[in-house]
Amino acid sequence: MTTPAITAATALGIPFEVITHGPVASVEEAAAAQGVEVRDLVKTLVVRRAEGEYLFVLVPGDRSISWPKLRTLLGVNRLSMPDAATAKDATGYERGTITPFGAAKPWPVIADERTRGRTVSLGAGERGLGLRVPADEAVAALGGTFADVTE
C-alpha cells in the first residue's frame, strides 16, 4: 500500500509505521482505533496566513489551536481556516486526511511543543490510515519548528 504521504515519508528517510483502521467519528475513536493516547493522535490543520499562503499546524488530539499564540508567533493580526475545497487545493488532501507528508506544496510546519520527544500518529493522506512517527525526526525532516501554539 502506498499514498503520496507514505512515499514522501519514505523519501525523507524517517522511521514510520503505517496504521490502518476502520471508520471513526471522533478524535477519541481514532486514537482508540490506532492504539494511541488521544494526545498522540496529532491533527494536521491547514491555516491560511494570507491569500494563497498557508501553513500546517500539528495539534495534539486533546488540544486546540490557540489563535492568539499562533498570531503572536507569526507576527500577524489575522489567520483563518480555509473551507474544505480550498484546503484540498492547498494540500492535495481532503479534510480528515491532511498531512504535511506529500502535500501539494511544502507549506511551513509548526508543531505544538507538546509533541516534542513523543511518537505521534499523523494522517497518511487517506481515510483509515495513519503514520506513526517520531515527532522530532518528522518535524526536522519537514523543516518545521516546535512552539507553544495550543490550549
Side-chain angles (χ1 to χ4, degrees), residues 27-113:
V27 172
E28 292 79 13
E29 283 184 24
Q34 292 189 33
V36 300
E37 294 180 39
V38 173
R39 69 180 178 161
D40 291 329
L41 185 76
V42 174
K43 304 170 283 191
T44 301
L45 303 179
V46 60
V47 173
R48 182 176 146 177
R49 184 175 183 165
E51 184 65 36
E53 186 180 341
Y54 301 90
L55 62 127
F56 292 113
V57 182
L58 306 183
V59 177
D62 62 346
R63 298 184 66 84
S64 58
I65 287 179
S66 168
W67 294 103
K69 289 178 183 179
L70 189 57
R71 285 193 303 267
T72 298
L73 176 71
L74 297 172
V76 299
N77 292 325
R78 188 172 191 287
L79 295 167
S80 63
M81 299 283 287
D83 64 33
T86 304
K88 184 171 183 184
D89 287 345
T91 66
Y93 296 117
E94 293 181 9
R95 279 203 181 141
T97 70
I98 294 174
T99 178
F101 294 109
K105 289 186 95 175
W107 301 111
V109 174
I110 298 172
D112 186 70
E113 67 182 13

Side-chain angles (χ1 to χ4, degrees), residues 34 52 63 85 87 107 116 129-130 139 142 146:
Q34 292 189 33
R63 298 184 66 84
W107 301 111
R116 189 189 308 261
L129 286 182
V139 172
L142 292 163
F146 288 97

